[in-house]
Amino acid sequence: MGNKLVAITQPVSYDGAITMEQLVVQCLMDGPKALNPSLQESIPSGTVLNSVSTIEGVCYVDFSSEFVDNKISTITDEVAIYSVVNSLVEVSSINKVKFMIDGVEKATFRESIPFDSLFVRDLDIIEGSK
């Protein structure tokens, strides 16, 4: 089971038509297969990014219900969450991430992880980190 994140660098063209946060999440939603076929996606297919914005260092990400309902059986719930968190905090203006599902704060993520608080970077979940 995929229980670690793998850091990858993806070249992208950024023209400012969307926010940097939208670009980061869209790259995650597109998945890593084009860059490395051995890596797995971390955001379930069918997930829609309803909105994303940053206020005072907190990035608010609102996904559709597919993010929690359509579990990818080959990765852990932590990998799903921290693929988003660790990617977004790479943007210099973001320190923490707050998730919403269809505009509503949920208490738990798939009944296993408290989901109603702010998330910060977790380096321990990255493969090869100590």
Side-chain angles (χ1 to χ4, degrees), residues 4-5 7 122-130:
K4 292 285 187 178
L5 293 171
D122 183 354
L123 297 177
D124 292 334
I125 199 166
I126 300 172
E127 189 172 281
S129 289
K130 296 287 179 208

Side-chain angles (χ1 to χ4, degrees), residues 6-129:
V6 176
I8 59 173
T9 302
Q10 179 174 349
V12 295
S13 295
Y14 180 63
D15 62 7
I18 61 173
T19 66
M20 186 61 73
E21 297 95 315
Q22 287 173 298
L23 180 63
V24 169
V25 175
Q26 188 57 57
C27 287
L28 284 171
M29 292 173 71
D30 291 345
K33 295 288 187 196
L35 296 171
N36 186 336
S38 69
L39 298 178
Q40 299 173 314
E41 63 184 4
S42 60
I43 297 179
S45 65
T47 299
V48 173
L49 176 62
N50 295 324
S51 66
V52 60
S53 61
T54 301
I55 302 170
E56 296 181 5
V58 178
C59 185
Y60 296 86
V61 179
D62 183 7
F63 282 123
S64 63
S65 61
E66 288 82 2
F67 186 66
V68 293
D69 294 343
N70 297 350
K71 180 174 174 56
I72 299 171
S73 63
T74 54
I75 65 168
T76 65
D77 291 345
E78 290 83 4
V79 165
I81 290 171
Y82 283 100
S83 69
V84 177
V85 174
N86 285 6
S87 295
L88 283 168
V89 298
E90 289 295 318
V91 177
S92 63
S93 61
I94 299 173
N95 301 310
K96 299 175 182 177
V97 175
K98 174 71 175 166
F99 289 95
M100 305 287 275
I101 302 299
D102 288 326
V104 177
E105 185 176 289
K106 297 193 57 94
T108 57
F109 181 79
R110 300 184 184 139
E111 308 306 319
S112 66
I113 298 173
F115 202 50
D116 55 356
S117 60
L118 298 174
F119 288 85
V120 297
R121 178 189 329 251
D122 183 354
L123 297 177
D124 292 334
I125 199 166
I126 300 172
E127 189 172 281
S129 289

